[in-house]
Amino acid sequence: MIVDCAIYRDGHRREGPEDLSAALGEARASGGFVWIGLHQPSEREFDLVTQEFGLHPLAVEDALKAHQRPKLEVYDDSLFLVLKPVVYEPRSDVVSTGEVMIFIGEAFVVTVRHGEGSPLKAVRQRLEREPELLGKGPTSVLYAVSDATVDHYLEVATELQTDLEELEAEVFSPDGGGSRRTASRIYGFKRQVLEFRRATGPLAMPLARLSGTGVFGGPVPFVDDRARPFFRDVNDHLTRVNESVESLDRLVSDILSAHLAQMSVRQNDDMRKISAWAAMAAVPTMIAGIYGMNFDHMPELHWVWSYPAVIALMAALEVLLYRLFKSRGWL
């Protein structure tokens, strides 16, 4: 469904006619552009937009089906950019991603939103308060949406770092590190970092292209070359985010390895304790077993002090074994 439609001339908003063809014609005649925002449109709803603005069928298919990687596609009549905004819920430790598709063409911007976490409403409001920036045309919308999305990546990366520090403290605490819940939390956190990486990693190449760096550093159609320094700034922020994601992934893997090592050490300690107690139990069992045999020629059986002597011997051996195991840290 269409959530907003307006014509912008010299950075100021003007309500456009309901007919999209008339709105586009008015925008071109006035030297401005028309910005249409849609939320999870159906194929039938999007057909009108496709026909009026001449959008490429492949890009339209991606915009309707969603579930796309961040990418930048250049067609004859438009530019198509896919972004994946991220939302992180600290209480449930869940990273969820939405999708924002942006079509840029001559005198028009079409934005399509899927899922949650979209910055489009806030970006439109901010741009309308900054007519000087909005007056730069459709490129300003492309930059503002990209910048808002990447800036939120930085916030999510900071929140993930804070939660990772809490998880690390739990793993290395005297009591919490050995619980099964800790292992499940580590695996769950690693999955969320992977989901975050799927949103930030593929975006590096599109932003490098928009900023004029890297192998594909040539001019990009429908994007003002004067905006390249601004896209370079966004790309720098994205580089910081990707470095943070790589660091988070390595730290989670290290914490998982440390947790598994702790579990192994604790199991070894338990086995040593069990072995020590079994050895201590075997000594009196052996002695009692020997003297429980029904032999006639066992001189000790007829001694007056045989019973207390055997008991004393058992006790002495038990004390000796206990002190030996204790000194070696087995008990």
Side-chain angles (χ1 to χ4, degrees), residues 29-242:
S30 63
F33 67 95
V34 59
W35 181 359
I36 298 174
L38 301 101
H39 176 226
Q40 297 183 186
S42 64
E43 183 175 356
R44 183 177 180 181
E45 292 171 335
F46 206 57
D47 280 344
L48 180 60
V49 178
T50 302
Q51 295 171 5
E52 294 297 338
F53 296 104
L55 304 180
H56 196 278
L58 293 177
V60 171
E61 182 181 359
D62 290 343
L64 289 174
K65 293 184 177 180
H67 303 294
Q68 304 296 317
R69 286 165 52 91
K71 62 180 180 179
L72 178 67
E73 300 285 351
V74 178
Y75 299 102
D76 293 336
D77 298 323
S78 63
L79 181 77
F80 179 59
L81 177 66
V82 179
L83 300 170
K84 293 183 77 69
V86 171
V87 176
Y88 180 60
E89 179 54 51
R91 294 183 179 179
S92 57
D93 294 340
V94 173
V95 172
S96 58
T97 58
E99 289 188 44
V100 172
M101 286 82 166
I102 308 174
F103 293 88
I104 301 292
E106 183 185 355
F108 74 85
V109 177
V110 177
T111 54
V112 182
R113 174 169 65 90
H114 292 269
E116 301 300 327
S118 169
L120 291 177
K121 182 178 180 180
V123 167
R124 188 187 286 261
Q125 293 174 348
R126 180 171 66 85
L127 285 175
E128 289 178 353
R129 293 194 298 268
E130 300 180 17
E132 183 177 353
L133 177 59
L134 191 56
K136 304 296 182 181
T139 302
S140 64
V141 179
L142 186 68
Y143 159 72
V145 176
S146 303
D147 184 55
T149 301
V150 174
D151 282 348
H152 190 62
Y153 287 165
L154 289 170
E155 298 175 6
V156 173
T158 302
E159 293 177 355
L160 285 172
Q161 182 65 44
T162 301
D163 287 352
L164 180 62
E165 292 173 358
E166 296 176 357
L167 184 59
E168 185 178 15
E170 179 181 339
V171 168
F172 292 103
S173 65
D175 300 326
S179 66
R180 295 182 179 179
R181 180 176 175 272
T182 302
S184 64
R185 281 196 63 194
I186 296 174
Y187 278 111
F189 193 88
K190 191 171 181 64
R191 284 198 301 270
Q192 304 314 314
V193 172
L194 178 61
E195 184 70 19
F196 190 29
R197 174 186 280 181
R198 288 172 180 167
T200 63
L203 186 58
M205 185 174 290
L207 283 181
R209 188 175 180 184
L210 289 171
S211 61
T213 59
V215 180
F216 305 100
V220 179
F222 309 106
V223 177
D224 193 335
D225 290 341
R226 293 173 295 179
R228 287 191 170 189
F230 298 96
F231 283 110
R232 279 198 292 270
D233 180 67
V234 178
N235 194 31
D236 289 341
H237 291 174
L238 181 65
T239 301
R240 288 172 51 195
V241 171
N242 285 328

Side-chain angles (χ1 to χ4, degrees), residues 274-297:
I274 293 172
S275 299
W277 286 111
M280 293 173 62
V283 171
T285 302
M286 180 188 67
I287 296 174
I290 292 174
Y291 283 94
M293 294 186 293
N294 297 321
F295 292 126
D296 293 331
H297 302 288

